[in-house]
Amino acid sequence: MISGFSLRLRLFTIWVCILCLGGCSGTTSTINPGTGNVDIKVWVVLGQDDFFGDRGNDGCRLNAQEIRDRIQSLQNNAIVFGPNATFNWDDQFNIVIDTDLPFVGRTQSSSFWVSPVYNLWQQGRWDSQKINIYFVGNVQPTGKTARSFAATVEPFQGAFSEIPAFIFINDGGFDEINGFHPDFPPPVGLNRRTIEHEMAHYLSRFAGRTFDSGGKNPRTYDPNTEHAALGSNNLLAQPPIPILNFPEFQYRLRIPPGDVDSPGTEMFEIWQRILAGTWNQP
């Protein structure tokens, strides 16, 4: 994320089971193998009476430059995922005005946002050859009081075959102590390295796993959120609370542990997935 929350399939088992009664499918082909290139597609989800970039939207409030800043941050920091990792974007904003979104105020649960994205996937507004990033409105983790800066549904294979995988990015910043501030500046999400954190979730398959067990630096990833242990110097560590009086402050960009040439490490697995072009596969 950099959010405090990862929308892994196991948190929504009942919900996904219901949706999958209509049939689930996904991509199994490799994409750009041997190149280190990852293609992304940007979607902007708006409500019925919303306008792209309007601060009063029920859906995404970010304007084109604010979204572009986030994507460029990911592109500029691609090296944390591998030596030749490249995130390709066509600079297109795919606007989705969904008249079926039942907005009740701006704050919606994470499951609220996952459901319409699933519907968008069924309508063909999801690209199987790219990582789909949806920019949405205010997200609150289902059943939680804290806010979420973003969330990720990873490619996953479990009781059903595959479900659509995607990242969605919240449109603003938050005071996680006192609650949601609707006018808190969007740079907070950018400066917390939100999109880099979410991409680490997307490219990882680390939930519940332990690396270097019995070694000098054992590390176990939370089975529900996939976050690294508290205090870990890791891109998947639980993000810090934003510094409210200094929204321009940039958190240090962390990297996954290990090395691209060291099997059995996080960096090796992420880079191998990118290099093999299997990043959209379970």
Side-chain angles (χ1 to χ4, degrees):
M1 315 179 205
I2 286 183
S3 73
F5 190 72
S6 179
L7 290 181
R8 296 184 58 78
L9 175 63
R10 66 196 70 219
L11 298 181
F12 295 99
T13 301
I14 296 176
W15 172 76
V16 175
C17 284
I18 294 172
L19 290 180
C20 282
L21 291 176
C24 289
S25 62
T27 178
T28 58
S29 62
T30 57
I31 305 169
N32 304 329
T35 67
N37 288 314
V38 176
D39 298 329
I40 61 177
K41 189 160 187 172
V42 171
W43 304 85
V44 182
V45 184
L46 304 176
Q48 183 172 4
D49 299 318
D50 289 352
F51 296 92
F52 185 21
D54 192 288
R55 288 296 197 247
N57 285 346
D58 287 324
C60 179
R61 298 175 301 178
L62 299 178
N63 60 38
Q65 189 56 53
E66 288 167 336
I67 293 176
R68 187 174 287 112
D69 288 344
R70 283 155 174 75
I71 300 300
Q72 289 178 345
S73 177
L74 175 65
Q75 293 173 319
N76 293 340
N77 292 315
I79 194 171
V80 302
F81 301 105
N84 299 310
T86 302
F87 293 99
N88 299 314
W89 177 46
D90 59 8
D91 201 42
Q92 297 299 307
F93 304 95
N94 297 279
I95 308 298
V96 177
I97 299 178
D98 197 326
T99 58
D100 296 328
L101 291 181
F103 288 107
V104 181
R106 272 190 38 79
T107 301
Q108 311 294 346
S109 70
S110 296
S111 57
F112 169 93
W113 281 112
V114 175
S115 182
V117 170
Y118 184 93
N119 292 335
L120 294 175
W121 169 70
Q122 289 186 314
Q123 298 165 22
R125 289 182 279 188
W126 180 86
D127 193 326
S128 65
Q129 299 300 299
K130 298 180 180 181
I131 294 180
N132 295 263
I133 303 176
Y134 295 84
F135 287 85
V136 300
N138 178 30
V139 180
Q140 176 177 331
T142 306
K144 307 289 184 179
T145 56
R147 309 304 178 185
S148 179
F149 277 76
T152 295
V153 174
E154 298 177 0
F156 185 92
Q157 188 165 6
F160 354 91
S161 55
E162 295 178 19
I163 65 168
F166 54 87
I167 293 170
F168 62 82
I169 305 293
N170 210 331
D171 64 4
F174 304 92
D175 172 349
E176 294 188 10
I177 297 175
N178 299 315
F180 176 56
H181 284 234
D183 297 320
F184 204 71
V188 171
L190 177 64
N191 295 341
R192 278 171 57 118
R193 312 291 190 179
T194 300
I195 198 164
E196 291 90 345
H197 181 95
E198 291 307 320
M199 189 58 68
H201 279 295
Y202 196 101
L203 297 173
S204 305
R205 306 291 186 271
F206 301 157
R209 292 178 59 189
T210 298
F211 288 81
D212 197 24
S213 177
K216 295 182 179 180
N217 183 29
R219 47 203 181 270
T220 299
Y221 291 81
D222 187 284
N224 294 318
T225 68
E226 201 178 40
H227 286 138
L230 185 65
S232 173
N233 182 25
N234 187 332
L235 188 57
L236 283 172
Q238 177 72 34
I241 293 175
I243 300 176
L244 300 181
N245 294 328
F246 301 96
E248 71 282 358
F249 178 81
Q250 283 209 340
Y251 294 95
R252 182 166 51 88
L253 183 66
R254 299 160 172 170
I255 62 174
D259 187 87
V260 294
D261 297 318
S262 300
T265 68
E266 294 91 319
M267 180 65 84
F268 177 86
E269 289 196 13
I270 288 175
W271 175 235
Q272 288 302 309
R273 185 166 291 111
I274 292 175
L275 200 57
T278 57
W279 30 268
N280 261 359
Q281 295 183 19

